[in-house]
């Protein structure tokens, strides 16, 4: 109803100037509304996009000439004022109301930005991007009190445009400096930066021909026909990104775990290849590595990057990795990342056998307590270790005459992987997992033990298949086996009854 | 002949002997042809030819021939009598032709006084046999005294001397005549009496007949019989004879098995199923292992080119016999040969056969199901038969009424009787059904079922019966009227249960609410029985729908339980319902599986929406249901595997902080224990959960922590299960109860029981893993945690149990040995050697190397060649003989011709001489 009325009003306004007051009415209605601004936002979006397209907002300012006071120019000026007011309202709405309307406010702001970029208010030579508007939007998004993760996530659809990315980084770099920001601000900042870097910035050593091909597909937000096209400068982007990160580095990121995690994620996922002097991040990464838990897992990836690309030598790297494999890792979100990283770390064939054996042992110990899905990926990792390091085969098939031991020589509590004496041990855990309740785990364990026979290439770790339950349900069976003893009640007739031993349900 | 040959041998003419020179001497070889008598043998051959070919030539082109085939006619050594005997013997022998070797004296026509028995036997009056040859028949029926007196004239003299007025001879004769007449009359009368009696007996028998043979004959009567009976109406002898002849005999059936035998069979079947279950427990890899050593070394010939060429004479064998004439070959080989490829054999054994077995197993099960259903039906059928019989009798009677006018009076009596007996039977039937109703059991339904099946034709009578029943019921059973009402009510619902698809669920609820669990069970049983799949094709489908509704019912039953009473009641009902789930699932396996899978999926989807919250009982109880219906020990099973995964998922990702979640967690752990009890599988989720519970009840400081596995956290989580105060006096240490499932706060009792049961379950899990080397690694933290529990606070029983379990675990781990994993030692592969092909029976012939067909062919070919050679030779000789005979004949005829010509010349010359003489005389 409301939206229909509004649409009528907007149409009337756009059709004739007689209904000019409608615009004022609509802007007034922002005050009345508290929760859902979506229809209003849509209406002003429609109105001003149309106006911008028509060019009604363009004020002809001729330098050194007094301002005209013709009704025409008055109207234009009034429209301009309304436009500014509407933009201000719109930005306000990003902070308020329900989530959907906040998101809509952001989208409206961006759409208006786009319209303005296409139909600039002032004639300009070259490519025009309304950076001021973007700055306004960023100002709202980088709030110090309210977490803006939802609008920022929505903003990602605009950062795909190359011009938004470039100008956005530029704008962000200008406004990043802040002495002691609040944690919320930090998070918003990091998130926004993360989103701005979501599309990969091509690095220097990429093929130029390839670049050219990509340029054709580039999306530009404010492109308009008949005007010079946008030129994308990857170097500028990189420089700006470095500047942005430079500001962020000076903050106390490591105080608050969430911000810390986000910063690490940003660094590891997006920034590492862009940084001009990545070794400067070493300190931060090393500190994070010592922090333990998921933070160190994230830092690990950064360190791996440093070690691989930038020749940084890190002491006790493998012991740290070894220490990360604890039962707590199953509760974290980054367990798959950790397993993947461990696979990369341990793929070096120059590692001492004892170390890899300790890893294999520890991984299989963990698989003993893991959920079926985790157990499968751990077992896959163990299988890869066995395939890459043939010396480990003695852990699954002991060649000498098997001497019966009275205890497992492996020491789980030992922090150093080399000192865990794992080579003398066997992978009994894997053999125990052959009797896992989940048939998939059981067969995975059997495959690990069979790895000694073949010389297969190590497999890439399987993608997360969280829905083992669904997979089992989908399996087809030739026959449906049934019990052959009729139960007389809750208790099973066979010796299998256990619930009744511990539960007195019917009396 | 012998003497002749001997004589021949004696005067062996050295000039006749021909010696064949031996070119190569072979030791031990017997030579038959080293010397020969060419003259003698030639003479023999010629003689033989003369007898055969010569005779044939003689009769060539002659149409008639006289052959004297009289036995011994040409043999003059036999006397005439010998000849006769020989001919008689030949005649007798001829009679024993092959077609009646078992019918020894059939063709011989026995005669009696020239008449054949057939001529004598006329079956005219079979009763007149014995009476005639009474005692003392020899004198025409005269008395002893009369004979002694009247015969031989002896009596007359003595009697005339008698004082009592001697009778004249004439008197005597008259007396004699009178006496004999009187006796004849008496005999006649007696005879008539017996005749009457026999007839009466016969007629009574006829009446009794239908009662004695209680088989419905209406259906059996063939068309031919009907036609015949129409044609020969009134000829009751023939009719009866035919009836007797075509009397339905009892059909052979499996003998009733004794109870022990049945039990034994049952046991055997269960054992078989158990074996299969254990096979299914193994994974594919494990199952494949024992088969690996199967293939035996195959014989390889020295000529083997290693080109994988398979000689197909694998199955060849030498057929030889021992001295008793029995083949020396094992039985099964012979069998194999007689029925080639009777049974396909799988070399890779278990995987294939298991699938086959599965099929069989299923069919077996189905068969057994069918059997069970049959057994149920039998009783139904019996009653039906009775009904039919009664009607048959009625029909019989009425028809005979119409047919037999002359017997009407007697028949009428009979019908009266029948009506009575019928009424009796009917009342009996009613009685049975009354009893049924009284016992509230299934038989009534069976009757209903039978009624349904019997359909419209006997609807009326049955309806009458039913009304009777109901009336009887009301009269007889006022005391249990309430139940009765239930009965009727439920019967109505049962009858219209599946009428409306949309209302089934509602109706089920209607049927089951407001009843005690056992009543519910009875009602359900009735419902299931009345829709037995053997009675109608779509009953199976209906029952599968019922299964779904029951699932829904159970779901509703356990939904949102808040108080202890409700939980208890729900479990009691569930307890009674479970067997029906089993039955229904067995009637339609596929749809039951589908329903349960869908249910699981739905529950899982619901759970994934809030994966931190433990699902309520309306999810958990279905795991129990699944374990009751499906085998939990299978390596992979369409239903149990997903459900166990679901349970593990709950235990690994939910949060356990309050009574609600912990009690449900414990319930799940016990369920998982049940699932893994047979297969002894390892379920980390359950073991970790127990570890978490122990952690929650133990004292651990930050300084020396014992690690726990998520969802339990080392830091932050409150130790909710720790006892705050001493509870030694608490009488806890019992099983968990259904009240614990609805408890809202963690009471002391709850905590104590929790620890007690989790420790006991831990022990079972521990024992399940006894043969694993990793047992220590798995259970080490549990032991540590148990040591940290402050047992002084707990009741003695619980403390003792915990200590005992800890001690047991420690002791087991103490003696645990660790054998390094080693691959199964493979036997070193032997060099391929050529083995001698040892044959069991050596014949020395080269042909034994060949295949059977080839050897046979070679043998036949060589034989053919030999025979051909011989035959050609014979033919050549024959030709020579024939030529010699012909030339001889020719010479002879030439001689004769010459003689004749000479004669003619002679005659002519004589004639000429005479003519010349005459001429000269002129």
């Amino acid at each position: 109803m409301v939206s229909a009325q509004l649409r009528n009003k907007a149409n009337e306004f756009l059709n004739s100037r007689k209904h000019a007051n409608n615009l004022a009415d609509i802007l007034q209605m922002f005050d009345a509304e508290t929760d859902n601004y979506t229809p209003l936002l849509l209406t002003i979006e429609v109105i001003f996009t149309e106006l911008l397209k028509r060019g009604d907002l363009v004020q002809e300012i001729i330098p050194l000439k007094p301002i005209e006071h013709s009704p025409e120019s008055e109207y234009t000026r009034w429209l301009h004022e309304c436009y500014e007011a509407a933009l201000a309202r719109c930005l306000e709405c990003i902070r308020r109301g329900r989530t959907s309307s906040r998101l809509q406010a952001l989208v409206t702001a961006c759409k208006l930005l786009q319209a303005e970029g296409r139909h600039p208010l002032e004639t300009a030579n070259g490519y025009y991007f309304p950076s001021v508007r973007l700055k306004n939007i960023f100002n709202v998004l980088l709030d110090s009190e309210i977490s803006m993760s939802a609008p920022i996530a929505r903003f990602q659809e605009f950062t795909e445009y190359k011009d938004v990315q470039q100008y956005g980084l530029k704008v962000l770099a200008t406004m990043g400096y802040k002495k002691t920001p609040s944690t919320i601000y930090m998070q918003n900042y990091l998130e926004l930066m993360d989103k701005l870097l979501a599309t990969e910035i091509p690095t220097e050593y990429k093929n130029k021909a390839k670049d050219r091909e990509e340029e054709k597909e580039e999306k530009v937000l404010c492109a308009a026909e008949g005007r010079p096209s946008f030129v994308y400068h990857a170097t500028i982007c990189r420089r700006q990104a470095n500047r942005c990160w430079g500001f962020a580095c000076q903050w106390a990121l490591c105080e608050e775990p969430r911000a810390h995690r986000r910063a690490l994620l940003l660094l590891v996922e997006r920034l590492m290849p862009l940084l001009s002097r990545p070794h400067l991040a070493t300190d931060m990464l090393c500190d994070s590595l010592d922090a333990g838990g998921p933070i160190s897992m994230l830092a690990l990836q950064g360190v791996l990057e440093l070690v691989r690309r930038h020749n940084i030598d890190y002491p006790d790297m493998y012991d740290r990795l070894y220490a990360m494999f604890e039962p707590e890792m199953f509760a974290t979100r980054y367990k798959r990342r950790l397993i993947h990283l461990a696979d990369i770390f341990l793929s070096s064939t120059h590692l001492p056998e004892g170390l890899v054996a300790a890893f294999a042992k520890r991984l299989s110990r963990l698989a003993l307590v893991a959920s079926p899905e985790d157990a499968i990926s751990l077992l896959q990792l163990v299988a890869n270790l066995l395939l890459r390091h043939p010396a480990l085969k003695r852990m699954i098939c002991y060649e000498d005459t098997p001497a019966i031991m009275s205890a497992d020589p492996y020491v789980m509590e030992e922090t150093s992987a080399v000192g865990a004496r794992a080579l003398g041990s066997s992978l009994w855990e894997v053999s125990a997992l052959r009797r896992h309740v989940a048939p998939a785990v059981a067969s995975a364990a059997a495959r690990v033990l069979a790895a000694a026979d073949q010389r297969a290439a190590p497999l890439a770790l399987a993608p997360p298949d969280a829905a083992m339950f669904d997979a089992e349900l989908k399996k087809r069976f030739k026959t449906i086996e049934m019990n052959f003893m009729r139960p007389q009640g809750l208790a099973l007739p066979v010796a299998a009854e256990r619930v009744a031993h511990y539960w007195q349900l019917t009396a | 002949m012998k003497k002749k040959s001997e004589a021949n041998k004696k005067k062996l003419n050295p000039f006749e002997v021909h010696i064949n020179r031996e070119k190569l001497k072979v030791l031990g070889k017997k030579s038959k042809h080293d010397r020969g008598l060419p003259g003698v043998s030639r003479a023999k051959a010629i003689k033989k030819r003369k007898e055969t070919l010569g005779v044939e030539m003689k009769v060539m082109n002659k149409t008639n021939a006289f052959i004297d085939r009289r036995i011994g006619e040409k043999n003059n050594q036999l006397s005439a009598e010998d000849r006769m005997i020989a001919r008689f013997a030949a005649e007798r022998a001829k009679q024993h032709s092959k077609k009646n070797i078992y019918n020894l004296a059939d063709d011989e026509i026995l005669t009696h006084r020239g008449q054949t028995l057939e001529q004598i036997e006329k079956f005219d009056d079979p009763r007149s046999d014995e009476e005639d040859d009474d005692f003392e028949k020899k004198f025409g029926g005269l008395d002893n005294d009369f004979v002694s007196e009247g015969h031989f004239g002896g009596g007359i003299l003595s009697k005339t001397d008698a004082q009592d007025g001697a009778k004249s001879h004439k008197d005597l004769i008259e007396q004699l005549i009178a006496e004999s007449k009187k006796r004849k009359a008496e005999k006649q009368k007696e005879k008539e009496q017996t005749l009457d009696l026999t007839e009466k007996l016969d007629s009574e028998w006829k009446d009794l007949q239908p009662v004695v043979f209680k088989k419905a004959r209406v259906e059996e009567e063939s068309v031919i019989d009907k036609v015949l009976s129409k044609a020969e109406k009134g000829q009751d002898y023939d009719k009866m004879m035919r009836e007797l002849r075509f009397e339905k005999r009892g059909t052979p059936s499996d003998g009733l098995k004794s109870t022990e035998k049945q039990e034994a069979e049952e046991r055997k079947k269960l054992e078989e199923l158990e074996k299969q279950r254990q096979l299914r427990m193994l994974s594919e890899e494990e199952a494949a292992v024992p088969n690996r050593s199967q293939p035996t070394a195959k014989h390889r010939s020295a000529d083997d080119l290693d080109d994988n060429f398979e000689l197909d004479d694998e199955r060849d064998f030498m057929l030889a016999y021992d001295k008793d004439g029995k083949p020396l070959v094992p039985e099964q080989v012979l069998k194999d040969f007689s029925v080639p490829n009777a049974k396909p054999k799988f070399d890779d054994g278990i995987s294939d056969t298991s699938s086959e077995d599965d099929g069989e197993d299923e069919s077996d099960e189905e068969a057994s199901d069918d059997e069970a259903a049959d057994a149920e039906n039998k009783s139904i059928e019996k009653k039906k038969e009775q009904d039919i019989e009664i009607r048959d009798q009625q029909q019989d009677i009425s028809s005979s009424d119409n047919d037999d006018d002359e017997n009407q009076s007697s028949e009428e009596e009979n019908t009266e009787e029948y009506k009575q007996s019928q009424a009796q039977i009917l009342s009996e039937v009613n009685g049975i059904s009354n009893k049924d109703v009284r016992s509230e059991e299934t038989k009534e339904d069976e009757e209903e079922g039978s009624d349904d099946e019997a359909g419209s034709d006997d609807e009326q009578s049955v309806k009458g019966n039913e009304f009777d029943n109901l009336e009887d019921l009301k009269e007889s059973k006022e005391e249990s009227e309430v139940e009765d009402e239930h009965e009727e009510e439920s019967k109505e619902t049962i009858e219209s249960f599946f009428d409306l698809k949309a209302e089934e669920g509602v109706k089920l609820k209607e049927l089951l609410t407001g009843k005690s669990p056992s009543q519910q069970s009875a009602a359900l049983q009735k419902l299931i029985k009345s829709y037995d799949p053997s009675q109608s094709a779509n009953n199976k489908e209906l029952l599968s729908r019922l299964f779904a509704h029951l699932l829904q019912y159970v779901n509703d039953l356990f939904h949102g339980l808040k108080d202890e009473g409700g939980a208890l009641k729900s479990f009691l009902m569930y307890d009674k319902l479970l067997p029906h789930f089993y039955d229904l699932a067995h009637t339609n396996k596929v749809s039951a599986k589908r329903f349960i899978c869908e249910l699981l999926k739905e529950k899982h989807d619901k759970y994934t929406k809030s994966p931190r919250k433990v699902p309520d009982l309306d999810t958990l109880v279905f795991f129990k249901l699944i374990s009751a219906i499906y085998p939990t020990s299978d390596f992979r099973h369409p239903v149990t595997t997903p459900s166990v995964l679901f349970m593990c998922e709950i235990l690994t990702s939910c949060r356990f902080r309050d009574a609600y979640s912990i009690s449900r967690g414990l319930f799940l752990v016990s369920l998982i224990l049940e699932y893994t009890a047979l297969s002894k599988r390892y379920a980390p989720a359950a073991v970790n959960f127990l570890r978490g519970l122990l952690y929650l009840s133990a004292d651990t400081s930050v300084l020396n922590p014992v690690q726990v596995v998520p969802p339990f956290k080392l830091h932050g989580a409150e130790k909710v299960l720790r006892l705050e105060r001493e509870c030694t006096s608490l009488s806890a240490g019992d099983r968990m109860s259904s009240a614990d499932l609805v408890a809202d706060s963690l009471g002391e009792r709850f905590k104590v029981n929790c620890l007690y049961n989790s420790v006991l379950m831990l022990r079972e899990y521990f024992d399940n893993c006894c043969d694993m080397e990793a047992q220590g690694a798995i259970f080490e933290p549990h032991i540590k945690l148990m040591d940290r529990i402050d047992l002084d606070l707990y009741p003695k029983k619980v403390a003792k149990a915990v200590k005992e379990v800890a001690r047991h675990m420690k002791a087991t781990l103490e003696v645990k040995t660790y054998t390094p994993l080693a691959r199964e030692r493979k036997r070193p592969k032997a060099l391929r050697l050529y083995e001698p092909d040892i044959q069991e029976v050596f014949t020395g012939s080269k042909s034994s190397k060949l295949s059977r067909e080839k050897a046979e062919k070679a043998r036949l070919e060589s034989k053919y060649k030999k025979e051909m050679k011989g035959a050609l030779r014979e033919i050549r000789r024959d030709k020579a003989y024939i030529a010699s005979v012909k030339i001889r004949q020719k010479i002879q005829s030439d001689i004769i011709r010459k003689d004749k010509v000479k004669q003619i010349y002679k005659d002519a010359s004589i004639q000429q001489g005479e003519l010349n003489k005459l001429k000269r005389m002129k």
Side-chain angles (χ1 to χ4, degrees), chain A residues 48-320:
Chain A
F48 285 108
T49 336
E50 185 62 31
L51 287 179
L52 280 167
K53 211 185 267 176
R54 283 192 210 159
D56 285 356
L57 284 173
V58 179
Q59 283 172 309
E60 283 186 46
I61 300 167
I62 302 156
L64 306 174
K65 221 180 176 185
I67 301 159
E68 259 184 271
H69 286 283
S70 66
E72 185 65 22
S73 61
E74 283 290 319
Y75 179 68
T76 316
R77 203 175 301 129
W78 177 75
L79 275 184
H80 207 268
E81 275 165 19
C82 284
Y83 178 53
E84 296 292 338
L87 278 179
R89 297 268 183 198
C90 183
L91 291 175
E92 253 170 53
C93 289
I94 299 181
R95 284 207 187 103
R96 286 188 307 199
R98 63 166 77 156
T99 320
S100 64
S101 109
R102 285 171 70 188
L103 294 181
Q104 182 57 47
L106 178 76
V107 172
T108 306
C110 290
K111 284 274 169 66
L112 290 176
L113 181 144
Q114 182 185 21
E116 202 183 324
R118 280 185 186 160
H119 313 281
L121 293 177
E122 294 156 21
T123 44
N125 332 322
Y127 186 77
Y128 175 74
F129 189 87
S131 309
V132 191
R133 311 282 179 218
L134 191 64
K135 191 171 182 176
N136 289 339
I137 295 173
F138 279 8
N139 259 329
V140 177
L141 286 182
L142 295 177
D143 199 287
S144 305
E145 274 91 46
I146 314 161
S147 171
M148 282 290 175
S149 51
I152 289 173
R154 185 69 193 262
F155 189 66
Q156 189 174 7
E157 70 183 58
F158 296 98
T159 60
E160 283 167 12
Y161 299 99
K162 289 284 180 183
D163 51 347
V164 178
Q165 188 183 30
Q166 189 175 334
Y167 284 98
L169 283 170
K170 213 186 225 168
V171 169
L172 195 66
T174 58
M175 55 195 290
Y177 180 72
K178 211 167 186 183
K179 246 303 185 300
T180 45
S182 70
T183 48
I184 307 251
Y185 178 84
M186 280 196 287
Q187 273 192 44
N188 286 337
Y189 184 86
L190 291 170
E191 263 177 64
L192 184 59
M193 199 168 156
D194 186 48
K195 295 292 177 280
L196 278 174
L197 294 170
T199 35
E200 206 183 338
I201 297 169
T203 38
E204 286 159 55
Y205 35 83
K206 265 201 177 170
N207 236 345
K208 292 225 162 158
K210 214 175 165 188
D211 279 351
R212 229 163 271 145
E213 269 173 39
E214 275 172 12
E215 267 166 33
K216 284 171 194 165
E217 300 153 19
E218 262 175 19
K219 290 163 80 182
V220 178
L221 185 69
C222 300
E225 282 165 37
R227 289 200 297 116
S229 63
F230 170 70
V231 185
Y232 180 69
H233 297 288
T235 35
I236 294 176
C237 287
R238 267 209 304 282
R239 203 183 304 137
Q240 302 299 350
N242 271 322
R243 275 185 70 192
C244 296
W245 179 244
F247 293 127
C249 277
Q250 291 163 7
W251 301 335
L253 285 173
C254 306
E255 307 290 299
E256 211 272 331
R258 273 195 67 170
H260 194 177
R261 223 155 55 207
R262 170 123 322 263
L264 275 177
L265 207 59
L266 172 69
L267 179 67
V268 164
E269 298 251 288
R270 316 264 190 228
L271 271 174
M272 275 309 247
L274 301 176
L275 289 185
S276 48
R277 278 170 297 172
H279 46 268
L280 292 184
T282 315
D283 277 348
M284 180 188 171
L285 285 174
C286 290
D287 290 348
S288 312
L289 205 57
D290 293 334
I295 289 172
S296 52
M297 278 184 209
L298 283 172
L300 188 70
Q301 193 177 354
V303 172
L304 173 70
E305 188 72 16
L306 286 177
V307 170
R308 280 172 75 193
R309 298 223 189 283
H310 304 287
N311 294 327
I312 282 187
D313 185 24
Y314 192 83
D316 305 335
M317 185 70 231
Y318 284 96
D319 282 344
R320 279 167 196 278

Side-chain angles (χ1 to χ4, degrees), chain B residues 474-490:
Chain B
K474 273 170 191 163
E475 284 165 11
S476 62
K477 295 185 51 194
E478 280 152 5
E479 69 276 6
S480 57
E481 218 166 58
V482 189
E483 284 186 26
D484 239 14
E485 273 173 27
H486 272 309
E487 289 291 303
E488 282 167 46
E489 202 183 288
S490 61

Side-chain angles (χ1 to χ4, degrees), chain A residues 225-433:
Chain A
E225 282 165 37
R227 289 200 297 116
S229 63
F230 170 70
V231 185
Y232 180 69
H233 297 288
T235 35
I236 294 176
C237 287
R238 267 209 304 282
R239 203 183 304 137
Q240 302 299 350
N242 271 322
R243 275 185 70 192
C244 296
W245 179 244
F247 293 127
C249 277
Q250 291 163 7
W251 301 335
L253 285 173
C254 306
E255 307 290 299
E256 211 272 331
R258 273 195 67 170
H260 194 177
R261 223 155 55 207
R262 170 123 322 263
L264 275 177
L265 207 59
L266 172 69
L267 179 67
V268 164
E269 298 251 288
R270 316 264 190 228
L271 271 174
M272 275 309 247
L274 301 176
L275 289 185
S276 48
R277 278 170 297 172
H279 46 268
L280 292 184
T282 315
D283 277 348
M284 180 188 171
L285 285 174
C286 290
D287 290 348
S288 312
L289 205 57
D290 293 334
I295 289 172
S296 52
M297 278 184 209
L298 283 172
L300 188 70
Q301 193 177 354
V303 172
L304 173 70
E305 188 72 16
L306 286 177
V307 170
R308 280 172 75 193
R309 298 223 189 283
H310 304 287
N311 294 327
I312 282 187
D313 185 24
Y314 192 83
D316 305 335
M317 185 70 231
Y318 284 96
D319 282 344
R320 279 167 196 278
L321 182 66
Y322 187 66
M324 276 178 207
F325 284 102
E326 284 289 331
E328 279 99 19
M329 67 170 270
F330 298 123
T332 64
R333 259 185 293 174
Y334 307 109
K335 53 191 173 187
R336 287 198 181 280
R337 188 191 293 258
L338 177 63
I339 289 170
H340 176 75
L341 284 177
D343 193 34
I344 295 172
F345 267 109
L346 294 170
S347 61
S348 163
T349 47
H350 297 286
L351 295 173
E353 285 168 17
L355 181 124
V356 186
F359 267 100
K361 194 72 185 159
R362 187 152 194 147
L363 289 171
S364 41
R365 278 276 166 94
L366 279 184
L368 267 187
V369 294
S371 69
E373 290 87 358
D374 296 332
I376 284 182
S377 47
L378 284 173
L379 283 172
Q380 181 61 53
L381 182 51
V382 172
N384 283 355
L385 290 184
L386 286 173
L387 288 171
R388 285 199 184 108
H389 304 273
L392 258 61
K393 295 242 162 95
R394 62 180 306 194
M395 296 180 82
I396 49 173
C397 49
Y398 199 73
E399 294 295 344
D400 309 337
T401 42
I404 294 170
M405 292 175 272
S406 61
D408 192 344
Y410 172 71
V411 190
M412 180 83 167
E413 288 76 21
E414 177 67 50
T415 46
S416 139
V418 188
R421 286 188 289 160
L423 260 186
S425 176
S426 271
L427 289 177
W428 292 299
E429 291 83 5
V430 179
S431 128
L433 279 177

